[in-house]
Amino acid sequence: MIEEVKYKERLLAIIIRANFEKDGIQFFTPDSYSQQLAYMKRPEGHIIEPHTHNEVKREIVLTQEVLFIKSGKVRVDYYTSDQHYFGSDILLPGDVILLADGGHGFKMIEESEIIEVKQGPYVEDKDKTRFVPVADELVKKRES
């Protein structure tokens, strides 16, 4: 239900499968991440007190993104920071993935709808280094 994608002990991604369920609240990310990811299941009548968020200056040096698979079937390919491919996973409707480090690419196995959340603003010419994706014949299931 929760999968950590690691390469040489470095956490690159966290997958929360659609069937994950737990009472209360659970954070999946350490406090040091600039993108925080949590799951909440609250009973009927539970109240989250009204609140505002205070202005707090933060320094972000690496973009982390969260993808919500709304429909379809998506293959995510994982790469190290130096663009070495090491495996892939299939994401299905309801799955959520936090991409925390390293590189990644995607192939739509079926027509897919994805909701993406990441820090902004997005700066096209500075935010990404693009590279050649893994060839389909070399794709392999990521080792757990």
Side-chain angles (χ1 to χ4, degrees), residues 4-13 86 142-143:
E4 291 188 341
V5 179
K6 292 184 176 183
Y7 186 82
K8 295 185 178 179
E9 300 307 311
R10 190 172 189 135
L11 181 61
L12 303 185
F86 68 90
R142 173 184 57 88
E143 294 179 21

Side-chain angles (χ1 to χ4, degrees), residues 86-141:
F86 68 90
S88 301
D89 279 313
I90 299 296
L91 302 175
L92 300 171
D95 289 345
V96 176
I97 186 169
L98 166 72
L99 297 157
D101 202 351
H104 48 269
F106 306 94
K107 181 171 183 177
M108 305 308 129
I109 306 301
E110 299 174 358
E111 180 178 294
S112 301
E113 294 175 281
I114 302 170
I115 297 171
E116 179 181 61
V117 179
K118 62 183 171 187
Q119 304 97 336
Y122 176 67
V123 184
E124 176 77 31
D125 59 335
K126 293 182 182 178
D127 270 331
K128 293 182 181 180
T129 299
R130 298 180 192 276
F131 53 93
V132 177
V134 62
D136 282 344
E137 62 271 13
L138 299 176
V139 169
K140 61 184 179 183
K141 170 80 174 106

Side-chain angles (χ1 to χ4, degrees), residues 26 37 39-41 45 48 52 62 76 78 87 92-93 102 110 114 128 133-135:
Q26 178 173 341
L37 182 61
Y39 167 90
M40 282 187 256
K41 180 181 178 187
I48 296 174
T52 60
L62 179 67
V76 57
Y78 304 108
L92 300 171
E110 299 174 358
I114 302 170
K128 293 182 181 180
V134 62

